[in-house]
């Protein structure tokens, strides 16, 4: 009980305070390419840890993986307290950010940790198997083209619930769409699921935005976009946005 409490406090402290030592360990982390990572997995008994949310885990995971949400300090501390420090822990998330932070905390707690470079997104892109995702249909290029064929301006948002900058964009998108509801239609693409479409459109990081008109791309940007930039782009396409 005392050990679990100490572990819980340790992970909570890292999450809330962000110790400098964690950043240093993240930089020096052992990351394996998907093919090498796969070769290190044992058929049974592997300490394979998925640090994404439960919802993300249900959408598809690497076989035999355990799940502990890194963004939930209590859950993460409680679940990782049962791991065996005498065996390596193989960690992954969606794209590598959260797993690097989690790996740093685990190393400080005394675990041997190996990370999956590029996370589950890269794992899937390179053709490695995923369990539990059979019922999730990948959006095809043809289906996507049908979605963007419109006289309206179509704003495509490649994002994900687990992506911090994507969450930061939500209030900006909400305000922009309120101002331009009669002109702009939003199409949201979950980058954690529709990886085939991401690959075909050369989307490598989230968020990533596109604007289309009559099925033709008229604008594209990766990363954060201000309300003013959205307004300026729309004004170039159809005229000033009414406020």
């Amino acid at each position: 009980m005392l050990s679990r409490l100490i572990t819980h406090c340790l992970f909570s402290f890292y999450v809330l305070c962000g110790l400098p030592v964690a950043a240093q360990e993240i930089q020096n982390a052992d990351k394996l390419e998907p093919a090498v990572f796969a070769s290190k997995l044992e058929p049974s008994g592997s300490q394979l840890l998925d640090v994404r949310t439960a919802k993300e885990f249900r959408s598809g995971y690497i076989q035999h993986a355990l799940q502990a949400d890194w963004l939930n300090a209590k859950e993460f501390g409680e679940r990782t307290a049962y791991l065996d420090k005498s065996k390596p822990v193989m960690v992954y998330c969606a794209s590598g950010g959260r797993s690097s932070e989690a790996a740093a905390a685990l190393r400080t707690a005394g675990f041997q940790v190996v990370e999956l470079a590029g996370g589950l997104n890269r794992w899937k892109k390179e053709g490695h198997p995923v369990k539990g995702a059979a019922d999730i249909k990948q959006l095809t290029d043809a289906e996507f083209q049908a979605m963007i064929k419109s006289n309206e301006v179509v704003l495509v948002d490649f994002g994900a619930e687990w992506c911090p900058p994507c969450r930061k964009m939500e209030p900006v998108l909400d305000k922009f769409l309120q101002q331009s509801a009669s002109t702009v239609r939003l199409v949201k693409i979950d980058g954690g699921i529709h990886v085939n479409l991401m690959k075909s459109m050369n989307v490598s990081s989230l968020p990533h935005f596109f604007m289309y008109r009559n099925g033709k791309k008229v604008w594209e940007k990766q990363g954060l976009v201000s309300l003013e930039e959205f307004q300026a782009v729309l004004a170039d396409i159809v005229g000033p946005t009414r406020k």
Side-chain angles (χ1 to χ4, degrees):
M1 177 64 73
L2 179 60
S3 175
R4 290 176 60 188
L5 179 60
I6 292 173
T7 304
H8 176 196
C9 292
L10 175 64
F11 288 123
S12 299
F13 188 61
Y14 283 160
V15 172
L16 296 175
C17 300
L19 292 180
V21 66
Q24 183 178 359
E25 291 190 20
I26 290 172
Q27 186 176 5
N28 298 327
D30 291 328
K31 292 184 172 66
L32 298 181
E33 299 298 310
V36 180
F37 191 88
S39 71
K40 301 293 183 181
L41 292 174
E42 298 176 0
S44 62
S46 297
Q47 293 197 120
L48 178 61
L49 184 64
D50 185 324
V51 300
R52 300 174 301 156
T53 65
K55 181 178 179 181
E56 291 175 87
F57 184 83
R58 289 193 296 270
S59 72
Y61 56 90
I62 300 176
Q63 188 172 15
H64 303 306
L66 305 171
Q67 184 268 331
D69 183 0
W70 167 245
L71 300 180
N72 183 328
K74 183 176 185 297
E75 174 184 301
F76 191 83
E78 289 176 347
R79 294 185 180 182
T80 56
Y82 293 96
L83 296 176
D84 186 349
K85 290 185 178 180
S86 69
K87 299 179 181 179
V89 180
M90 305 185 72
V91 180
Y92 72 92
C93 65
S95 58
R98 285 172 292 177
S99 60
S100 288
E101 295 174 356
L106 287 167
R107 290 189 183 96
T108 302
F111 291 92
Q112 306 170 57
V113 186
V114 175
E115 301 170 49
L116 172 59
L120 192 64
N121 286 346
R122 186 169 172 188
W123 174 272
K124 291 189 288 188
K125 284 182 180 179
E126 295 190 12
H128 296 284
V130 173
K131 298 287 289 184
D135 296 332
I136 299 179
K137 184 178 180 295
Q138 288 280 314
L139 194 64
T140 66
D141 288 344
E143 290 169 333
F144 177 74
Q145 290 300 320
M147 295 169 69
I148 62 174
K149 284 185 178 179
S150 173
N151 292 329
E152 300 173 292
V153 174
V154 179
L155 172 61
V156 178
D157 171 15
F158 278 86
E161 183 181 358
W162 46 260
C163 166
C166 300
R167 290 185 179 182
K168 189 173 182 178
M169 282 300 306
E170 288 300 323
V172 177
L173 284 169
D174 288 344
K175 189 167 185 179
F176 175 62
L177 292 169
Q178 287 173 5
Q179 294 177 350
S180 54
S182 62
T183 310
V184 177
R185 177 166 58 86
L186 177 66
V187 171
K188 293 182 74 70
I189 306 294
D190 191 325
I193 295 176
H194 300 291
V195 293
N196 292 343
L197 184 61
M198 285 183 63
K199 185 175 182 179
S200 69
M201 296 184 64
N202 294 318
V203 174
S204 59
S205 58
L206 305 175
H208 198 120
F209 300 97
F210 297 85
M211 278 195 193
Y212 293 85
R213 193 175 194 187
N214 297 321
K216 295 182 179 180
K217 184 176 72 175
V218 293
W219 176 80
E220 173 184 358
K221 183 173 180 179
Q222 184 275 319
L224 299 179
V225 182
S226 68
L227 176 62
E228 293 73 21
E229 185 172 359
F230 275 134
Q231 292 170 335
V233 172
L234 184 61
D236 287 342
I237 299 171
V238 298
T241 303
R242 294 181 180 178
K243 298 184 179 180

